[in-house]
Amino acid sequence: MEKEKKVVETNPAQEKTADQIIKENTALRDAEIKELKRKNEAELKQRLASTDSKEERKRIKEQNKVDLYNQISEIKNKYNDLLAHSLPSGANKDKRHMGMKSKRIIGNTTIYIILIIMTFIWLFPFVCILLQSFRVESTHMVGYIIPKQWGFDNYINLFTKKAFNDGGFGRWYFNTLIISIFVALIQTIIVLCMSYTLSRIRFKGRKFLMNFMLILGMFPGMLTMIILYRVLKDMGLTESHAIPGLILVYVASSGMGYYVSKGFFDTLPKSLDEAARVDGANRAQVFFKVILPLSKPIVIYTLLTAFMGPWGDYIFATYVAHHEETGMNVAVGLQNLISSEQSINANYTMFCAGGVLVAIPITILFMILQKYYVEGVTGGAVKG
Amino acid sequence: MASVKLTDVKKIYQGNVVAVHDFNLDIKDKEFIVFVGPSGCGKSTTLRMIAGLEEISEGTIEIDGVVVNDLQPKDRYISMVFQNYALYPHLTVFENMAFPLRLLRPRMPNAEIYKRVTQAAEVLGITQYLTRKPKALSGGQRQRVAIGRAMVKDCKVFLMDEPLSNLDAKLRNQMRAEIILLRKKIDTTFIYVTHDQTEAMTLGDRIVIMKDGFIMQVGSPTEVFDHPNNLFVAEFIGAPKMNIVKSQLLKEGDKYYVNPFGSKIEVGGAKGKQLLAKNVETQDILLGFRPEHVRLEQNPSASNFKVTLEVNEMMGSELHLHVVAEDGSKLIVRIPTIQLNDKEREEMVYGKELYLSFEGKVMHFFNPETEISLLSNQESPQKSDLKQDVPEE
Amino acid sequence: MKTYSDLEYLRLNKFQKFLYKVARFFVGIPRWFLNLFIAIGNFFAKAGIYIKDEVVDVFMTFKNGDWKTRLSYVIVGFGSIARGQLLRGFLFLIFEIIFILYTALYGWYWIAQMGTLGTKGPYKYYDPDWDTYVTKYYDDSFKILLYSILSIFFIVAFLYTWRLNIKQNAIAQDILDTPARKALNKECKAEVKNYLSSHPDYKKPDNEAVKDEIAKINEKYDALIAGLKPDNLKAYKKMVKENNASRASEIAELKKQNKVELKQQLLTIETKQERKKLIKDNKQSLGERIAEIEMKYGDKASEFSRDFNLNYNHEKRELEQERKFLIKCAKDGKEVSDIKNEYRKKVEACGKPLVSDKQDLESMLDNQFHKTLLALPVTGIVIFTVLPIFFMILVAFTNYCAANDGHFNNLFTWVGLENFNTLLNWNTGSKAYSAAFGEILGWTLIWAFFATFSNYFLGMFVAIMINKKGIKLKKVWRTILVLTIAIPQFISLLYVSKMFADNGFIKAWLVNYFGVSPKFSFIGDAAEPWVARLTVILINIWIGIPYLMLIATGILMNIPSDLYESAQIDGANVWQQYTKITLPYMLFVTGPYLLTSFIGNMNNFNVIYLLTGGAPKIGDVGGAAGNPGYTDLLVTWLFKITQSDGAYYNMASVIGILVFIIVSVISLIVFNIMPSTRNEEDYQ
C-alpha cells in the first residue's frame, strides 16, 4: 500500500481507531480481488479451450490481462474512496507516516552529514601539510599530525640552506615565477589567435586543421620530450639556461589547447561581427575593437590557467634541468628534496613548507578569479 | 467526485513575504475554475500548492474530502499541464505520454498503455506524431502532447498553468476552442491559470480574480462582468477597460444622481432601487461605465457631458473613439459602425465635439478610498490591503 | 526478418523491444562492413582523382602559358613580378633561393644518409701525444634522422609553394589575357597609330612641357579629390549623431522599464537560487533585447556609412588611378594620353584587375586575416609537435637506445619491425616484454574506465546534492571542494602518496587501532596488486571530483525545473527522476567531454607516477626495461623505459604508437555511437 493514509488522534472514546479501519478496508479489498482472480482464471480456461488457433489464444490472453487489470484497478479505487471517506476528516497535522516535509528534512540532514564528512576528507591533507610545515622537533616523516613544537624554521631553512645563485628554494621560486609570467602572456596571445580564428572565420582547411590537431593530441606527450630536449641542448637552452628553453617549449605548442576558448567565442553572437564589417571594419579591426573587449572572462581564464601550468610541471622540467639546481622550477626542486631515503628524512618538513609557499599564492589567485574559471570550464569545456 | 476545497490557505515566503492571503474557495466537482490576474498575483502559487509543488504555509486543501496538505503530488490524483510544456526531450511523443503510466505500480500491461495513449492521441489529433521527438514539433503540437500526457492518467483534478501563453495569437484562439471541446471529453474538475481575461471569460464556469495574493472576486463570467465588486475587477475584466471618472453620488429624496463633468444623470431603474435599499448617502464616488454602454448624443443637455475626440480607431465592425473630457481625463467609447451614417463617420475626426450619456443600469459606483463597489455583496479586500505600487528609482 | 512499423513497435513491451533491437543490430553488421569498404574505396578514388587533376592542371598551365608563366616553372615568382605583383613575386623568389641554398648545402647531405643513419661511428684510436685512447666522433644518427626529416618537410613545403606559384600564374594569365582585353588593347594601339598618322605634325612634348603637364594634372586631381568630401561629410556626420542619440535613448528607456519589471517579479520568488536564476535570465534577455536595438540602429548607421563610404572611396580611387595613368602617359602628349586613358577605362570595365601589392597587404588584415593569426601558432605546432612526433614514429623502427645513442656510443640504424616483434612477441620476441605489455595494457584500459566514470558519477552526485533545494551555504561547499583544484597536483599527490606509504601515518593508524598486519601495504612495493590499484583509483576520485562537480553544477542549472515537477506529479520518485531526466541530459551534454576525459586518463601520467611510481613491481619481467609495475600505465612505463639504464627509446616509441592506435580506434567507435552527434538538436 503506497498511498498515504490519514491518521487520527487516538481517542479511546472512538469506536474504531484509524488502524483498525485501514486493516478492515484492506482485508475486504484483498478478499474481493482474490475472488475476482479466481473467477477470472476459471473463465479464462474455458475460453482458451474453445479455440484451437495459437493466434486466437494469444489474443484472448492479452485481452484478458488488460481486462483483469482494469477490473482490479476499479476495485482498488472503490476501496480507496471508501477508506478516504470513512476516516474522519480534520485539519490535524500529526502524521504517523512520513509526509513531504519530514521526508525533506531527513534528506537534507543526510546531505549535510555527507558534505561535512567530505569537507573533512578533502581538506585533511592540506591541513596536514600546513601543520607539518611548522614542525620543528624533527624533520622526517612521523606518525602524528600536530607538531609538538611550532616554529618557522622550515621556512627559513628553505631560503637559507642554499643561496639564491646556488639554486635554493628562492631560486626555484623565482625561476618558476618568470616562466609563469612569460608563459601566461605569450600563451594567451597564441591561444586567443588560434581559437578566434577557428571559431569565427570559416576558411578552407579549417575542419582539416581541427581534426589534425585532434589526432596529434592522441599521441602521448612523453614521446616528444626526448627530441625536444636534444634540440634545446643543441641550442644551449638546458640546465642553467633552462628557463628560456622551458618557456619556448611551453608556448610553442600551446595553440593546441584552444577548445575552451573556442567554445567561448562560439557563444558570442555573430551579428556583432557582421555589423562591424558592414560598417567598414576589416577583420583585424573586428577582432581588436569588437571581440576582444567582450572577451574578458575567457582572457582571464586563459591567463590564469597558463600561469598555473608551469608551477606543476614536473616531467619535462626535470628533463631539461637535468640535475642543475639553478635551472629547476619549484616542482622539480621540491621533488628533489625528498627523492632519496636520506634526503626525505632530512627535508620532509621543508618540503611541506615549500609546498605551502607554492600553494598559497596560486590558491589566492584561483579564489579571486574563481568566477571566471567556472565560467570558462562550464561554458566552453563541455560543448567541446 | 472531485471537489476541491481551499480553506484559509496562506503562502508565506522567507522574509515574511506573503504571496497568498487567506484563500478560501469551494470548487464543485466537474467545475471549470479559472484563476486570473496580473503577474505576481499569486495564481500560479495557489495552483502549485494544490498540486503539491509548493508547501502550504497555513490552511488546508482538500481534494475530494481528503486533506492533501502532506500528500505527495503523485498521491493527489492530479494531472498538470505546464506553461513550457515540460516534455522530456529525449523521449518520443508516445513515450512522453506513456511516462506516467509506466510509473504505476503494479505495472500496467503494455497493451493497456498502448490503448490509452493512442486513444488520447486520437482525441487530440496527434496520432501521426507518435514516433517523433518533441524537437520536431511545433508549439501547438507540443502543447497537445503535454495535454495528452496529462489526459492518460485517471485523475480527479486537471490543472493547467498558463498553457496558452507561449503560443501566437491565432493559435491561441484555436487552442481555446479545443480546450472547451476537451472539457466535454474529459469529464473532471479543471483548474486553469491565466493572465488573459479573455481566456478566463470564455473558458471558465467561475472566475477567481486575484491581485497581490488576495481574491478580488469570485463569480461566473456574467456576474463578474455585470457586477464587479471593486475597482480592480471592473478595470481588469472587459476590453477596452471600463471608464472611471471622479464624480459625486447625490441623493435627492428617493432619487439618486451622478454628476460627471458638470452633467446630472439620474440613476434610474434597478440600480437606483438597490442604492435606496442600502441607504446610501450623498458622497464622492468613482463612477464607472463601460465603453460599449455609452450613448452618443448630438446636442448638449443637462444629462450629458461634452468631450473632444482625439483618436478614432477603426476596428472594422466598431469604432473605438478615444476622447478627452473637459478636465483632461481620457475616455474610450465603442460605437458599432453601422450606427453612424457615412456623413457622421466622416465627421469623426480630431477635434470633433461629442456629447456622452449613459443609463443608470450601466453605472458602477466605487468608494474612492476603499475602491470597493457600493453595491457589492461579497467581501473584498480594500485598496489599503494590497501592495503599494513599486516606486521607480 | 520481420520489420515492425512504427506503431507496431510501440506495442511491444520492453523485453521484446530489446530483442528486436539486438536482432536488427546483427542483421545490420554485414551492411556496415560493406559501407566501410565502400567508404575506403571512395576515399582512395577521390585521392586518385585529386592527384590526377593536379598533374593535368600543371601540364595544361604550361601548355597554355605565355613565356612569363613558363619561366615561372623554373624561377618561381617570376610571373608575378613580371605582371606587377612585386610583393608576392619576391616572396616566392626569396623562398626558392633559401630552399635551393639549404638543400644544396645541407639538406642533400642529411637526406642521403637517411637510409643508413650514419656509417661512421665513434672511433677509438691511440693518440701517441697523450698516451691514451681517444675517441673521435663522426656521424650523428640522431642529427641525421632529425635534419633529414626537417629537410623532407622543407621539400614538401617547397613543392606546395611551387604549385601555388603555378596556380597564381594561371589565374593571372586568365585575367590579363581575356579576349576582350586583348581586343581592346589592339584597338587602342590601332587608334593611336591612326591618330599619329593623321596628325603628322603632332609633336611629343619636351621635358619642360612634360613637367608642366604633370604639375597641372596633379593640381587638377588634388582639387577634384578634395572636392569630394564636403558635400556628404557634414550631412553624414549629422545623421550619425542623431542615430546614436536615438539609439542611446531607446536603450535607456528599455533598461528603465526592465528594472521595474524585474523588481516586481523578484518579489514572488522564494529561494535565493531561483532569484539568481531569474536575475541571470533577465540579464540575458535584456542583453538580447539591447542587441536587437543596437542591430536596428547599426543597420541604419551602416546604410549611411555604406552610401557615404562607397561613393567617396570609390570615386577617390578612380580619380587616383586616372591621375597615375595620365602622369605615366604625360610624355606622349595630351591627345594621345587621352586616347589611351579612354581605353584604359574600357579595359577596367572588363573585369577585375590583378590583386595589387597594396591590396595584398590590406587583405592580410582582412580576408587573409586568419592566415596572419594562425601563422605563428601553427608554425610552433609544426616544429614543436608534428616534427617530434614524426621523429619518434620513425625511431620506433630503429634501435635507438642508450647503447646506440647515435653519436657517443654507437650509431643506430633501421631495424624494421623488430621492436614491434619484441613487444608483442610475434615470432621470437622476448616473453618478458609481451607479458608486461599485456598486463599493463589491460590495467590502462581498466584504470581509464574506472577513473573516468567514478569521477563522473560521483561528481554529478555531489553536484546534485549541493544543488538541492533547501541546502544552505552552497557556495561554501563548492569553494572547499574547488580548493583541491587550486593546489598544484605535485604537492597534493606527493603528500598523499607519503600518507599512504609504508611508513606513512595512515598505515600506522590502521596498525595501531585496527590491528592490521604490519606487512600490509597500500602502494608500496609489497602491496598486493589489486590493493594498490584500488587505492590509486580512490585517490584519483579525491582529485577528480571537484572538476566534475563544477561542470555538473553548470549543466544542472540549465535543466528546466518544470521537467522535474512534471515527473513529480506523474509519480516518479527521486531515483526515477534521476535516471529519466537528469542522467540523459547530462550524458548528452557531456558526451564529448567523457571521451576526452577517458583518453586523458589513459595518458594520465601525473597521478600514477607521483603516487606510486608504478609500484608494486611486476614479478617476472627480467629483460623488459623500465621495471614495469602493477599500477603502471602505458605512458608511465614508457617514461620509465627512457629513464632506465638502457634508455630504450625505440621501445618507448613503439609503445607510444600502440597507445595512439588504441586511442584513435576507441575514439572513432565512440564518436560514431554517441547520441550527441546523432541527435544534436534534441536539446536545443
Side-chain angles (χ1 to χ4, degrees), chain C residues 150-166:
Chain C
L150 199 59
S151 310
I152 293 183
F153 272 27
F154 213 163
I155 293 181
V156 169
F158 177 71
L159 272 176
Y160 177 74
T161 320
W162 182 80
R163 173 81 186 94
L164 199 63
N165 164 64
I166 304 245

Side-chain angles (χ1 to χ4, degrees), chain A residues 62 104 107-108 111-112 114-116 118-119 121-126 128-129 132 141-145 190 193-194 196-198 201 203 209 212-213 215-220 222-228 230-231 234-235 248-249 252-256 271 275 277-285 287-288 308 311-315 318-319 330-331 334-335 338 341 344 348 351-352 354-356 358-359 362-363 366-367 370 373-374 377-378 381-384, chain C residues 11 140 142-143 146-147 295 298 301-302 305-306 309 362 365-367 369-370 373-374 376-378 380-381 383-389 391-393 400 405 407 461-462 465-466 468-472 475 477-488 490-492 494-496 498-499 501 503-505 508 541-543 545-547 550-551 554-555 589-590 592-593 599 603 605-606 609-610 635 638-639 642-643 649 652-653 656-657 659-660 663-664 667:
Chain A
E62 248 187 51
R104 197 154 56 91
N108 283 3
I111 291 185
Y112 279 120
I114 298 182
L115 283 177
I116 294 181
M118 279 179 68
T119 312
I121 298 180
W122 255 258
L123 289 185
F124 183 65
F126 304 118
C128 280
I129 294 186
Q132 302 275 351
M141 290 200 322
V142 292
Y144 55 88
I145 307 176
I190 291 189
C193 285
M194 194 74 158
Y196 173 73
T197 316
L198 288 177
I201 308 184
F203 57 93
L209 188 61
F212 186 65
M213 287 201 282
I215 296 184
L216 277 186
M218 292 190 199
F219 279 97
M222 301 297 120
L223 286 183
T224 60
M225 266 183 2
I226 305 151
I227 170 175
L228 285 175
R230 267 300 287 265
V231 171
D234 285 343
M235 290 202 268
L248 184 61
V249 170
S253 289
S254 53
M256 287 182 44
S271 46
R277 294 220 67 194
V278 169
D279 279 344
N282 60 31
R283 281 235 149 81
Q285 289 168 325
F287 180 55
F288 286 108
M308 291 191 347
W311 291 87
D313 173 42
Y314 171 71
I315 321 136
T318 318
Y319 228 82
V330 279
L334 284 178
Q335 172 75 325
I338 54 173
E341 275 302 319
I344 194 178
Y348 180 67
F351 169 79
C352 294
V356 171
V358 169
I362 295 200
T363 313
F366 191 83
M367 288 300 131
Q370 186 191 29
Y373 188 88
V374 171
V377 167
T378 56
V382 293
K383 297 211 183 113
Chain C
R11 286 196 87 117
D140 187 341
F142 188 90
K143 277 209 179 119
L146 178 62
Y147 290 126
M295 231 170 68
S302 356
S305 122
R306 215 190 345 239
N309 275 327
E362 276 175 10
L365 290 179
D366 200 0
N367 298 348
F369 189 49
H370 57 276
L373 278 183
L374 286 182
L376 199 58
V378 171
I381 294 180
I383 297 184
F384 284 85
T385 307
V386 178
L387 191 57
I389 288 184
F391 183 84
M392 293 316 286
I393 294 182
Y400 181 30
D405 72 345
H407 190 61
F461 178 64
V462 172
M465 271 204 311
I466 298 186
K468 190 162 180 292
K469 230 178 179 183
I471 301 287
K472 313 223 194 333
K475 213 167 179 191
W477 303 116
R478 289 199 194 115
T479 314
I480 292 179
L481 288 177
V482 158
L483 262 176
T484 330
I485 307 181
I487 302 187
F490 81 91
I491 297 180
S492 29
L494 226 38
Y495 189 79
V496 171
K498 296 294 171 230
M499 262 170 59
N503 50 359
F505 64 79
I541 292 181
W542 179 77
I543 298 218
I545 282 194
Y547 286 102
L550 274 185
I551 297 180
I555 301 176
V589 176
T590 52
Y593 177 77
I599 295 179
N603 290 336
F605 184 86
N606 268 355
Y609 191 76
L610 291 175
V635 283
L638 201 162
F639 182 70
T642 63
Q643 297 289 69
Y649 297 112
S653 293
I657 294 181
V659 167
F660 169 71
V663 162
S664 41
S667 304

Side-chain angles (χ1 to χ4, degrees), chain C residues 298-311:
Chain C
D299 286 342
K300 272 207 217 123
S302 356
E303 269 177 48
F304 305 152
S305 122
R306 215 190 345 239
D307 292 338
F308 176 73
N309 275 327
L310 273 185
N311 289 342

Side-chain angles (χ1 to χ4, degrees), chain C residues 171-189:
Chain C
I171 296 177
Q173 213 177 300
D174 272 340
I175 292 181
L176 289 184
D177 288 349
T178 49
R181 257 186 222 257
K182 275 194 177 141
L184 279 174
N185 280 332
K186 228 170 163 180
E187 241 182 79
C188 177
K189 285 207 185 94

Side-chain angles (χ1 to χ4, degrees), chain B residues 232-362:
Chain B
F232 174 75
V233 173
E235 287 186 307
F236 189 78
I237 301 287
K241 288 198 332 181
M242 182 189 283
N243 294 309
I244 305 287
V245 300
K246 285 209 248 292
S247 169
Q248 272 186 321
L249 183 64
L250 307 164
K251 179 175 184 190
E252 291 170 9
D254 274 352
K255 290 198 191 292
Y256 287 90
Y257 296 89
V258 290
N259 57 359
F261 309 114
S263 64
K264 190 165 174 192
I265 312 178
E266 182 184 342
V267 183
K271 284 262 166 80
K273 295 205 182 66
Q274 280 175 342
L275 285 173
L276 201 53
K278 284 202 167 194
N279 273 321
V280 178
E281 296 298 322
T282 301
Q283 54 186 279
D284 285 334
I285 58 163
L286 290 172
L287 178 65
F289 54 95
R290 294 201 184 272
E292 56 269 21
H293 295 156
V294 171
R295 242 190 353 242
L296 270 189
E297 296 181 351
Q298 295 303 332
N299 303 308
S301 82
S303 60
N304 64 29
F305 53 92
K306 184 173 90 157
V307 295
T308 325
L309 177 62
E310 265 195 337
V311 177
N312 172 1
E313 281 186 304
M314 168 59 164
M315 305 299 281
S317 55
E318 339 182 287
L319 294 173
H320 285 191
L321 305 173
H322 298 255
V323 299
V324 185
E326 276 159 343
D327 67 346
S329 344
K330 297 199 193 246
L331 310 171
I332 306 183
V333 179
R334 275 166 66 179
I335 306 280
T337 323
I338 52 172
Q339 258 187 35
L340 304 174
N341 59 32
D342 286 340
K343 178 161 160 300
E344 286 167 331
R345 243 181 275 163
E346 271 175 40
E347 285 175 359
M348 287 295 174
V349 293
Y350 180 84
K352 169 121 173 90
E353 290 181 351
L354 302 164
Y355 300 93
L356 306 182
S357 178
F358 38 83
E359 301 179 336
K361 70 176 178 189
V362 306

Side-chain angles (χ1 to χ4, degrees), chain C residues 485-529:
Chain C
I485 307 181
I487 302 187
Q489 263 191 358
F490 81 91
I491 297 180
S492 29
L493 280 174
L494 226 38
Y495 189 79
V496 171
S497 79
K498 296 294 171 230
M499 262 170 59
F500 280 89
D502 285 342
N503 50 359
F505 64 79
I506 290 198
K507 180 171 165 202
W509 183 65
L510 280 181
V511 168
N512 289 335
Y513 289 104
F514 288 89
V516 171
S517 133
K519 279 204 275 203
F520 179 78
S521 173
F522 278 108
I523 48 180
D525 273 328
E528 290 293 317

